[in-house]
C-alpha cells in the first residue's frame, strides 16, 4: 500500500495531531463493533434493554452481567497493530491527542498515554449514589456469550448500587473530557478519524470542528460512513493495515 505523496507531506508537517477512534479499531482484536451487519452488538442486542439508565433501573442484574461479559472479552483481547501504530505515533509528533469512543483499555495497553474516553471505561464502574469508583476483583470472569444475570455489587463506602462505568443513551458525556476533546480538535492541524460509523453525537461532531478550524482530516475505515464529503481524505481498509503503513510512510521513512 502506497499513499499519495502530498498526503504524506501534509502529515509530516503536522505539529499537533488529534485522533478519534471508534469500535472499528478494536475489531481486529476480536472486540465486536456496534453497527456492523451480523457481528455488531446492536444487531444482536437491544440497546434499550442494556444501555440506558431505565434498563439498569428495570433489570440491573441483566445489565451488569452483560457488561461483565464485555469486560471479559476485553480482558482476553490484545491490542492490535492499529493501537500500536497510534502509540508509536505519539512518540514521533510534537503533540498527539487521542480521543476514543471505546470503553476498552486497548489503547492504554498498547502504550498510549492520556487517552480521553468520551464514553467511559468498562474497567471503572462506579456507585450510582456517591459516584465512588468501585474496585473490581482481580481475574477474568468466565461468562457465556451475552453474559448472564449477575446482581450489581454494592459500593464499599455507602452501600449504593454500583453501575457500569460507561455512558448510556440519554446521558451526558463526562464534561471535562468532552471539553478537552473539543479543544484538541479545534487546535490540531491533522485530525484522523478511525473505525467509527460517526453516527453518535456529539463525538462525531469533532471531525467537523477540526475541518472548520482548517485541519487536514483523514478517515480510516473499510466501509463508507457518509463522512466522505466532509473529510480531506478517506483511506479504505482495516485500521490494523492502514495505520501502521501510514505511520511508517509519513513519519518513519525519509521524505521524498
Ligand atoms: P459502530 O459499530 O457504529 O461503527 C464501527 C465502524 O468501524 C464502522 O464504520 C465499521 O465500518 C468500522 N470498522 C469495522 N471494522 C474495522 C476495522 N478493522 N478497521 C477500521 N474500521 C472498522 O461503532 P462506533 O462508531 O464506535 O456508544 O459507535 C459509536 C458509539 O455507539 C459507541 O461508542 C457506543 C455505541 O452505542 C456507547 O456505548 C455510549
Amino acid at each position: 500500500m502506497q499513499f499519495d505523496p502530498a498526503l504524506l507531506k501534509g502529515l509530516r508537517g503536522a505539529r499537533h495531531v488529534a485522533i478519534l477512534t471508534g469500535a472499528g479499531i478494536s475489531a481486529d482484536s476480536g472486540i465486536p463493533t456496534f453497527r456492523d451487519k451480523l457481528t455488531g452488538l446492536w444487531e444482536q442486542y437491544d440497546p434499550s434493554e442494556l444501555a440506558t439508565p431505565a434498563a439498569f433501573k428495570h433489570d440491573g442484574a441483566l445489565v451488569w452481567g452483560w457488561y461483565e461479559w464485555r469486560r471479559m472479552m476485553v480482558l482476553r483481547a490484545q491490542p492490535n497493530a492499529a493501537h500500536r501504530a497510534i502509540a508509536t505515533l505519539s512518540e514521533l509528533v510534537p503533540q498527539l491527542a487521542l480521543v476514543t469512543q471505546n470503553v476498552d483499555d486497548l489503547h492504554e495497553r498498547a502504550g498510549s498515554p492520556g487517552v480521553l474516553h468520551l464514553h467511559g471505561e468498562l474497567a471503572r464502574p462506579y456507585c450510582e449514589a456517591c459516584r465512588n469508583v468501585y474496585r473490581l476483583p482481580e481475574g477474568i470472569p468466565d461468562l457465556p456469550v451475552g453474559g448472564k444475570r449477575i446482581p450489581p455489587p454494592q459500593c464499599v463506602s455507602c452501600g449504593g448500587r454500583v453501575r457500569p462505568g460507561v455512558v448510556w443513551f440519554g446521558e451526558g458525556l463526562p464534561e471535562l473530557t468532552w471539553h478537552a476533546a473539543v479543544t484538541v480538535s479545534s487546535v490540531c492541524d491533522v485530525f484522523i478519524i478511525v473505525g467509527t460509523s460517526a453516527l453518535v453525537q456529539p463525538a462525531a461532531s469533532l471531525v467537523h470542528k477540526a475541518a472548520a478550524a482548517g485541519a487536514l482530516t483523514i478517515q480510516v475505515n473499510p466501509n463508507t460512513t457518509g463522512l466522505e464529503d466532509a473529510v480531506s481524505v478517506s483511506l479504505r481498509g482495516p485500521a490494523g493495515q492502514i495505520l501502521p503503513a501510514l505511520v511508517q510512510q509519513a513519519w518513519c521513512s525519509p521524505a521524498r
Side-chain angles (χ1 to χ4, degrees), residues 29 43 45 59 69 71 85 94 97 109 152 173 177 180 188 203 205 224 227 232 234 237 245:
S29 296
E43 297 290 321
Y45 302 96
D59 194 343
W69 167 64
R71 193 171 69 83
R109 281 160 56 197
L173 269 46
T177 309
C188 66
S205 68
T224 53
L227 276 185
S232 320
S234 282

Side-chain angles (χ1 to χ4, degrees), residues 97-185:
L98 177 54
V99 185
T100 188
Q101 298 166 88
N102 297 347
V103 294
D104 65 47
D105 62 352
L106 296 179
H107 282 305
E108 285 88 346
R109 281 160 56 197
S112 282
V115 185
L116 296 169
H117 281 273
L118 293 181
H119 292 165
E121 295 172 71
L122 284 172
R124 288 175 68 82
Y126 61 90
C127 171
E128 63 181 355
C130 73
R131 301 186 80 83
N132 264 5
V133 172
Y134 175 74
R135 209 165 142 199
L136 286 157
E138 303 260 314
I140 304 181
D142 191 10
L143 294 170
V145 173
K148 63 175 187 189
R149 277 196 165 70
I150 304 172
Q154 281 189 328
C155 173
V156 290
S157 319
C158 78
R161 195 165 64 146
V162 173
R163 58 160 284 172
V166 304
V167 175
W168 283 325
F169 289 102
E171 295 187 308
L173 269 46
E175 213 168 315
L176 291 178
T177 309
W178 172 245
H179 285 306
V182 170
T183 302
V184 298
S185 305

Side-chain angles (χ1 to χ4, degrees), residues 1-15:
M1 169 183 336
Q2 185 63 49
F3 300 104
D4 179 357
L7 169 65
L8 297 176
K9 192 168 171 222
L11 293 175
R12 232 172 253 135
R15 295 202 55 74

Side-chain angles (χ1 to χ4, degrees), residues 69-83:
W69 167 64
R70 288 184 54 198
R71 193 171 69 83
M72 175 197 83
M73 281 195 289
V74 170
L75 285 168
R76 287 183 179 167
Q78 296 300 327
N80 65 54
H83 298 106

Side-chain angles (χ1 to χ4, degrees), residues 21-29 31-37 39-42 47 51 66-67 70 80 82 100-103 118-120 166-169 171 173 193-201 203-204 219-225 235 237-243:
T21 64
I25 198 167
S26 297
D28 288 349
S29 296
I31 308 292
T33 64
F34 293 94
R35 297 176 183 82
D36 278 283
K37 292 273 170 281
T39 56
L41 289 174
W42 297 154
W66 190 72
Y67 280 95
R70 288 184 54 198
N80 65 54
T100 188
Q101 298 166 88
N102 297 347
V103 294
L118 293 181
H119 292 165
V166 304
V167 175
W168 283 325
F169 289 102
E171 295 187 308
L173 269 46
I193 178 164
V194 185
T196 172
S197 59
L199 288 172
V200 173
Q201 297 293 357
Q219 166 173 243
V220 178
N221 202 306
N223 302 305
T224 53
T225 60
L235 301 174
Q241 287 174 25
I242 302 268
L243 284 181

